[in-house]
Every structure is written in structure tokens, then in C-alpha cells.
Amino acid sequence: ETLAKATEIVQSFFVRLAEFLYTSQKALPALASRMDYMGAEILSQVATTNRLLIDLGSYQAALPAKPEDAGRIARIDAAKDLLNKGRPSGALVLLEPMEQDLRSGSMEGTLAYRVVMNLGVIALMAEDFPKARVYFNSALVYKPDDPKALANLGQVALLQNKKDEAFDFVQQARAGGSQDAYVAAILIWCLDAMGKHQEIDALIAAEPWIMEDAQCTAILGELAYRARAYDRALARAKRAHELDSKLPRALDLLGRTELAVAQIGLISSVPLPWRLPQDERDRLMRSVAALTEAVSLLEGQEDSEALAGVLTNRGIARMMIRDADGALADFDRSLALADRKSTR
């Protein structure tokens, strides 16, 4: 009973506070500025937590050349599956024992290539860029001029803010002219980092197949979101989700864009919380739904930073539709995930 009474008092306080803010000429601009700042914070958070790209494609099935290769192939396939599901620590357990075979030269080249590529991705996900470089360069020993290894080296350079080096690697990766969506996705990030936005438009016009890949389309939507071209961002987020309904990046973008558009509408005409226009409420409900799907997909992954960002955004959307309990639960969990990451 005491808790219920306290909750009632707090809610009553916020109702009176809201009435004061919305009827005060001095307070209204400050509130709008705060919402604009909040939107900018969400946007900058996205730019840092969603940069890493993982090649979700599968490798051509290998035939065992030696009796022991069958077991190796099974372990490598299982490790790749875990990486696709965002579980690098489990993949590392499977792959680490094979490093002795790599050093002894007893492993067939095709399998060795797959092992070092996956170990490189694990290092990349752990932000151990020097180790990732070693593994991806090793992959080029087994498979010279390999587009995926070169693209991964480009991504390592890009994450280290070595833009020109990253661009050179990606250009080498595309020298063969193959239509590799993963390589194209890294090229798009690279061109964006270099400020070559007209070249991105030219790339899409020259190679329309890029827009048929979910990850590329989601990245292009992300760039539109950061440019505050929200109509284009929303269209690309929806298209990416159509192409791959299990891609967290697309759902996250869809939810954030709906949230951003709602915020802009409310900044220009701020209503009382209990008088939220139905259109904006519907938009916020769509935001919560998309972000909830993203949360469910990220739950089993080890990237706590990505999950924390999605929870934060969902908390903001829930707060705006007066789901205080849901918002607080999201914020609390987001903070707990951030604390866990900082203590590692």
C-alpha cells in the first residue's frame, strides 16, 4: 500500500510538472532543446555501436581429404554458425585447438584458410585489431587475393580510422569484379567515412543488385538516418527487413527511425503526455514493436553494447507512450549491460 501511494504521489508530481512546462513560455524551448539533444545522443550512439560487419554468407562445402578432416570440417562449420549467431567465445573454444595444426602445417590449405578467417573475425569482434590483421593476412597466404580477407583487412583499417588504407584494401577486394555483398557493404562504409557520398549514389546506380542485399540496404538506411533523411531511412529499413526478417540491424534502424520521426513531430508541437496525437502514438508503438523484435534477436548474442543501445531506444519510446514501468526496466537493464562491459 505504501508503494502504491508513493507511486501515485510521484505520478501526480510529474503531471503537475508537465503542465507547468507546457504552459510556460520560458520552459518550452528548453524542453524542445532537450529532446533534440536526446535524439542527437541516440544518433551518435548508433554510429559507434553498429559499425562492425560480419560476413553472414556460408563457405563452399569442403570434402575431407584426410580421415581427421571430417572432424575439423564439423568444428569449423559449427564455429561459423556460432559467429553468425553473435557468439564468438563459443566459436573460439572450437577453433583454438586447431592452431597447433596450423603451426605444424598438417592442415589442408582450404581448411586452414577457414580457420584463420574465423579466428580473425573473433579477434575483430573483440576489438583486438593487431591480432585480426595477423589472421586475415594469414588467410591471404592460403588464398591469395581473396576478396573476403582483403575486405576484412579494410574493415580493420576502417575501425582504426585509417580510411585511405581501408579504401585501398576494398578496391583490391573488388578488383576481380565479383558481386560480393559483404565487400560492397564495407565499401559503402568506407566511402561514407571519407565523405564521398556522391560516389555511394553512383555505386548504387551502377550496381543495383546492392539494393537486393539486406545488410547493404540496412547500411544505406543507416546513412540516410544519420543525414536525417528519415523518409529514405524508413523505406530502406523496411526493405532490409523484407529481405531478411532476422537481421537485427534492420529492425533496430526501423525502430529508431520511427522514434526519431515521432520526436520531431512532438518537438514542433508538444502536447501534454496524455494528449499524444494518435498518429504519433501509432508511430511510437511501431517503434517499440520493431525494437522488441531486435531485442529478441540480440538476446542470445554476446554483443552487450548493441543490446544496451536497443534497450535504451525502446525505453525512450516507451517513456513517450507513458509506459513508465517498461521504460525503467529497459533503462535499468541497459545500464547493467554497460556496467558489465566496463568491468571486463
Side-chain angles (χ1 to χ4, degrees):
E1 290 182 6
T2 303
L3 179 60
K5 185 63 177 176
T7 301
E8 182 183 344
I9 292 171
V10 171
Q11 288 178 339
S12 176
F13 166 76
F14 278 114
V15 167
R16 289 197 300 273
L17 177 62
E19 288 175 333
F20 171 77
L21 287 174
Y22 285 110
T23 55
S24 166
Q25 291 299 316
K26 292 183 178 179
L28 189 59
L31 179 61
S33 297
R34 172 61 184 136
M35 292 185 72
D36 190 50
Y37 172 77
M38 181 171 64
E41 283 295 291
I42 296 169
L43 189 139
S44 65
Q45 183 185 77
V46 167
T48 56
T49 60
N50 275 344
R51 297 294 292 190
L52 183 63
L53 295 173
I54 302 297
D55 181 15
L56 299 176
S58 58
Y59 295 98
Q60 185 176 359
L63 296 175
K66 305 174 186 176
E68 61 268 29
D69 283 350
R72 289 169 173 167
I73 292 170
R75 291 173 73 91
I76 296 169
D77 287 344
K80 173 62 175 170
D81 184 57
L82 286 170
L83 282 176
N84 286 351
K85 293 176 179 177
R87 301 173 189 170
S89 61
L92 184 61
V93 170
L94 292 171
L95 296 175
E96 231 174 5
M98 297 188 189
E99 289 206 76
Q100 181 59 43
D101 296 334
L102 291 173
R103 286 190 286 269
S104 68
S106 64
M107 188 181 295
E108 190 269 330
T110 303
L111 297 183
Y113 162 82
R114 291 188 61 193
V115 170
V116 294
M117 281 287 281
N118 286 326
L119 286 170
V121 171
I122 292 168
L124 187 62
M125 294 173 80
E127 299 182 6
D128 189 342
F129 301 131
K131 183 181 285 188
R133 279 179 178 270
V134 170
Y135 283 127
F136 294 139
N137 277 313
S138 297
L140 291 172
V141 173
Y142 298 109
K143 200 172 178 180
D145 302 319
D146 176 57
K148 292 186 186 297
L150 288 165
N152 279 332
L153 284 167
Q155 183 167 200
V156 171
L158 190 58
L159 291 167
Q160 292 180 301
N161 203 33
K162 299 176 180 178
K163 302 171 188 176
D164 292 335
E165 181 183 348
F167 185 71
D168 289 342
F169 277 126
V170 178
Q171 289 294 83
Q172 291 178 57
R174 284 173 53 84
S178 63
Q179 294 185 353
D180 190 308
Y182 176 62
V183 177
I186 296 176
L187 174 60
I188 292 167
W189 270 138
C190 194
L191 291 172
D192 174 64
M194 300 174 79
K196 297 183 177 181
H197 301 114
Q198 289 184 340
E199 291 192 25
I200 295 175
D201 295 336
L203 175 68
I204 299 168
E207 303 184 45
W209 61 267
I210 289 173
M211 294 297 293
E212 295 304 313
D213 176 77
Q215 189 155 245
C216 287
T217 304
I219 289 167
L220 290 165
E222 187 70 50
L223 300 186
Y225 175 90
R226 289 167 52 198
R228 305 199 176 204
Y230 295 122
D231 287 345
R232 189 162 71 248
L234 193 59
R236 288 176 174 173
K238 289 178 179 178
R239 178 57 180 155
H241 183 54
E242 289 173 2
L243 292 166
D244 184 353
S245 62
K246 301 297 183 184
L247 186 64
R249 182 188 299 273
L251 286 161
D252 173 44
L253 175 62
L254 187 57
R256 282 187 287 109
T257 306
E258 294 279 23
L259 174 59
V261 174
Q263 286 178 321
I264 290 171
L266 295 174
I267 287 170
S268 61
S269 179
V270 187
L272 291 166
W274 54 91
R275 293 179 183 170
L276 195 64
Q278 190 60 47
D279 287 350
E280 302 303 339
R281 174 173 287 279
D282 290 344
R283 189 178 293 281
L284 290 167
M285 293 298 290
R286 291 196 296 271
S287 173
V288 169
L291 294 171
T292 298
E293 278 194 69
V295 166
S296 68
L297 291 171
L298 291 169
E299 287 284 9
Q301 299 189 15
E302 296 174 24
D303 187 358
S304 59
E305 192 173 1
L307 179 56
V310 175
L311 286 167
T312 298
N313 292 331
R314 187 175 70 174
I316 293 169
R318 282 176 161 174
M319 181 175 63
M320 294 176 71
I321 58 173
R322 302 189 71 202
D323 178 7
D325 291 340
L328 287 173
D330 282 343
F331 294 147
D332 285 344
R333 189 169 177 213
S334 179
L335 289 170
L337 289 168
D339 288 342
R340 189 175 73 186
K341 182 177 176 63
S342 65
T343 55
R344 286 179 181 175

